[in-house]
Amino acid sequence: MCNDETLDAVRDRAGQLVRHADELRRKFNDIEEEFKEGNLDSAGLRDLSRAIHLVETDTAAFEKILGG
């Protein structure tokens, strides 16, 4: 069974992952709209890349917490 500290870390990171996944979806929708309008630029792609990076960071933290 997990100790309380590990459980708290998992809960905190899961909350962050949910928020970051929501942000990733919003950014994707924004980029998709820009693409449809022909207005896609590098700033939009940078925002999407940053959102992806946050989800990747969360994934790495889960691996560390769970000993993977």
Side-chain angles (χ1 to χ4, degrees):
M1 186 61 60
C2 292
N3 64 33
D4 288 339
E5 186 176 305
T6 301
L7 255 151
D8 288 343
V10 168
R11 283 187 188 111
D12 289 344
R13 186 52 69 169
Q16 289 179 5
L17 178 59
V18 168
R19 287 188 300 279
H20 293 153
D22 287 344
E23 181 178 346
L24 179 57
R25 174 50 63 192
R26 282 191 308 276
K27 294 292 183 187
F28 175 81
N29 290 340
D30 291 347
I31 293 296
E32 184 177 44
E33 192 61 34
E34 287 180 28
F35 176 75
K36 287 178 184 176
E37 294 173 356
N39 297 326
L40 185 60
D41 63 4
S42 61
L45 292 175
R46 278 192 307 272
D47 284 346
L48 183 59
S49 179
R50 187 184 63 75
I52 291 168
H53 175 73
L54 291 173
V55 172
E56 291 170 338
T57 300
D58 295 334
T59 302
F62 271 117
E63 289 174 340
K64 183 177 178 184
I65 290 168
L66 300 174

